[in-house]
Amino acid sequence: QVQLVESGGGLVQAGGSLRLSCAASGLTFSRYTIGWFRQAPGKERAFVAVISRSGDSTNYADSVKGRFTISRDNAKNTAYLQMNSLKPEDTAVYYCAADVLGRRVLDKGEYDYWGQGTQVTVSS
């Protein structure tokens, strides 16, 4: 029943922007910390950004600080990742994930539910 569905990925030129969405169903959305992770070709899935249950706290990987912004709208059961000043090294499949505990939120192993991913490709 629990489902997370990412959307908004695509092909953009370096320096461009995309906004990813993560629509959740089958869970009480406001009870879950939401994280974004990405997996580039040949690499392990890596932390990108996280937002607390109420949206009052966020954290980012150093590689995206100042360029990406995570947000959420609990009334819409949706989280977002605004990505600006995109670089070719941002090319990856992006996943959203939900964590009921909200403790080790930089660790992908802590998350309870995952979306199917959406492809982001940044051309040089």
Side-chain angles (χ1 to χ4, degrees), residues 61-109:
D62 288 343
S63 58
V64 307
K65 284 181 180 177
R67 300 188 297 120
F68 290 11
T69 303
I70 189 171
S71 61
R72 67 191 295 164
D73 186 340
N74 286 344
K76 295 182 177 180
N77 290 343
T78 303
Y80 306 93
L81 185 68
Q82 178 67 46
M83 305 186 295
N84 298 327
S85 301
L86 283 161
K87 305 174 180 179
E89 50 263 47
D90 296 317
T91 294
V93 177
Y94 283 71
Y95 300 87
C96 67
D99 173 18
V100 72
L101 296 178
R103 296 188 293 112
R104 298 169 60 185
V105 294
L106 276 61
D107 182 356
K108 61 182 180 291

Side-chain angles (χ1 to χ4, degrees), residues 18-89:
L18 284 173
R19 188 170 77 157
L20 307 183
S21 297
C22 173
S25 60
L27 51 73
T28 304
F29 187 68
S30 63
R31 299 277 182 87
Y32 287 79
T33 298
I34 300 298
W36 285 95
F37 294 78
R38 65 188 182 185
Q39 189 164 18
K43 296 184 178 180
E44 295 298 311
R45 195 169 299 185
F47 169 78
V48 175
V50 63
I51 188 165
S52 62
R53 294 175 177 88
S54 65
D56 63 354
S57 181
T58 60
N59 203 355
Y60 299 89
D62 288 343
S63 58
V64 307
K65 284 181 180 177
R67 300 188 297 120
F68 290 11
T69 303
I70 189 171
S71 61
R72 67 191 295 164
D73 186 340
N74 286 344
K76 295 182 177 180
N77 290 343
T78 303
Y80 306 93
L81 185 68
Q82 178 67 46
M83 305 186 295
N84 298 327
S85 301
L86 283 161
K87 305 174 180 179
E89 50 263 47

